[in-house]
Amino acid sequence: INNVRKFKGMNAPEKVSGPKTIKIGNADCWDDVTPDFRHYAGNTLHRDHQGRYDQYYTNQTGRNDIVGAKIARDEGNLYFYVETAEKLTPKTDRNWMMLFIDTDRDKSTGWNGYDFIVNRVSPKGNKAIVEKNIGGRWEWEAVAQSKFAVNNNKLELEINRNVLDLSGKDIDIEFKWNDNMQ
């Protein structure tokens, strides 16, 4: 475990860039935001092959191949960015580009530790739906709408800190992008 980065050829973790206001819809604003969380392309390939003994595996759920993500912040908002290997599918697709956010870093709260979800419900116009977890199960309650923009293979979100109960606090969160979760 100690040498995974060395053997897999991963880059050293980047320093976190300073606070920055992002203009949603202008993906160039993200050029100097770090860290840049990179992921290899090609993990959404559809599977259709013989397994062990009489097992046969079919999985056609791979869709938007996430290859990078970033997060930025200023006094009032958090900004999320995700990039895919190819053009994003339509926002009306089922289970499209969901963002899970763990704001308290406590795995015993929320759904699998995640306190908020964005895009569980398809966006309306240029607004994404932000929902808060209720009771630790797969139950969510809409708490806000957030500005978002899609440009080819890039998706950006702006969420007010107050919505995430993060006003006046240092930011120490976890987030995860997921597309087409079954």
Side-chain angles (χ1 to χ4, degrees):
I1 299 295
N2 208 23
N3 291 307
V4 167
R5 288 187 182 280
K6 179 176 156 186
F7 293 125
K8 286 202 163 206
M10 296 172 67
N11 295 332
E14 295 177 280
K15 265 190 158 175
V16 176
S17 56
K20 180 176 184 176
T21 300
I22 300 290
K23 183 177 180 199
I24 298 299
N26 182 0
D28 293 340
C29 287
W30 292 92
D31 290 346
D32 60 350
V33 173
T34 57
D36 185 2
F37 300 102
R38 302 308 299 172
H39 192 270
Y40 65 91
N43 66 341
T44 58
L45 293 174
H46 291 180
R47 291 154 177 91
D48 189 5
H49 60 82
Q50 182 69 41
R52 187 171 182 218
Y53 304 120
D54 62 348
Q55 297 293 316
Y56 195 84
Y57 297 98
T58 303
N59 183 334
Q60 310 268 328
T61 61
R63 193 171 55 193
N64 291 309
D65 191 0
I66 297 169
V67 296
K70 295 183 180 188
I71 182 171
R73 80 251 179 239
D74 61 21
E75 286 185 27
N77 299 298
L78 293 184
Y79 306 93
F80 296 89
Y81 167 94
V82 66
E83 182 179 338
T84 56
E86 296 177 7
K87 184 177 179 178
L88 283 156
T89 59
K91 66 183 181 183
T92 53
D93 284 356
R94 186 174 176 267
N95 298 324
W96 182 78
M97 297 303 292
M98 292 183 287
L99 174 63
F100 294 91
I101 308 170
D102 177 0
T103 56
D104 60 11
R105 304 283 304 260
D106 182 351
K107 297 301 177 206
S108 68
T109 64
W111 177 79
N112 289 335
Y114 293 105
D115 306 297
F116 293 88
I117 188 171
V118 183
N119 287 340
R120 185 185 70 86
V121 176
S122 294
K124 309 292 184 216
N126 65 347
K127 299 290 184 185
I129 310 301
V130 181
E131 297 175 282
K132 186 173 187 170
N133 184 261
I134 302 170
R137 298 176 306 279
W138 185 257
E139 291 183 38
W140 305 89
E141 172 183 62
V143 292
Q145 294 184 350
S146 69
K147 188 186 300 185
F148 87 103
V150 172
N151 184 5
N152 193 16
N153 67 326
K154 296 173 178 127
L155 167 61
E156 303 169 87
L157 284 166
E158 173 184 308
I159 304 175
N160 187 287
R161 282 184 178 213
N162 292 329
V163 169
L164 302 175
D165 302 322
L166 294 173
S167 61
K169 293 182 184 177
D170 287 336
I171 304 299
D172 184 14
I173 68 170
E174 292 182 15
F175 68 95
K176 177 179 181 61
W177 286 98
N178 186 304
D179 183 59
N180 205 20
M181 184 173 82
Q182 301 300 300

